[in-house]
Amino acid sequence: AALISNNLLNTISLDHLNNSNSYSKLNFNPLQSSINTITLKLEELYKNNHISKKLYFRLLPSNCKLGTFRILPKLHKSKFSIRPIINCKNHPSSTLSFLIDFLLHPLVNSCLCFIHFILI
């Protein structure tokens, strides 16, 4: 376990996010643009009979929000460092991610080596 003050946590998080080698600052909220892009592509797939009506409505983004950023300290390292985590629960692409996972799961299970993640 690690105890970090809120001030230190915020400072470390902001320092990490302000690293221009890792992140680009956006001057707009990309949520609506992401929803629109996914919706338009799903409409195109449905109109061209590539997906069913049921799947179309199931995959449409709803109750969406952007991912939230947090950090986890790497306690097993001799020098203090962090691991950035982006929680994408209810992200516009989350239902698509579940579908892709479902479709690829049999292929992954047939491989000799793979890493298995369990969603809780």
Side-chain angles (χ1 to χ4, degrees):
L3 295 175
I4 300 175
S5 70
N6 282 338
N7 288 339
L8 180 57
L9 180 72
N10 290 337
T11 301
I12 293 170
S13 297
L14 287 174
D15 286 346
H16 188 79
L17 286 171
N18 287 324
N19 179 349
S20 61
N21 292 328
S22 299
Y23 301 99
S24 296
K25 185 174 181 173
L26 298 177
N27 295 318
F28 65 96
N29 183 338
L31 180 62
Q32 194 58 52
S33 174
S34 298
I35 292 170
N36 292 342
T37 300
I38 291 169
T39 301
L40 286 173
K41 186 49 110 171
L42 288 171
E43 285 176 5
E44 179 185 327
L45 290 168
Y46 174 64
K47 286 179 183 176
N48 291 322
N49 293 321
H50 294 294
I51 60 173
S52 68
K53 185 176 184 178
K54 183 178 179 180
L55 185 58
Y56 167 75
F57 283 111
R58 178 77 172 106
L59 294 176
L60 280 176
S62 64
N63 300 321
C64 298
K65 62 182 184 178
L66 291 176
T68 53
F69 178 85
R70 66 185 176 106
I71 61 171
L72 288 177
K74 291 184 176 182
L75 300 176
H76 59 285
K77 301 287 184 176
S78 58
K79 181 181 176 193
F80 179 80
S81 62
I82 61 161
R83 174 174 287 121
I85 306 287
I86 308 289
N87 178 359
C88 292
K89 185 176 181 182
N90 296 328
H91 189 270
S93 64
S94 61
T95 54
L96 294 171
S97 297
F98 284 121
L99 175 65
I100 291 169
D101 179 63
F102 176 78
L103 294 173
L104 292 179
H105 201 79
L107 295 172
V108 172
N109 282 339
S110 68
C111 294
L112 296 177
C113 298
F114 66 90
I115 298 173
H116 183 74
F117 292 99
I118 299 174
L119 296 173
I120 298 174

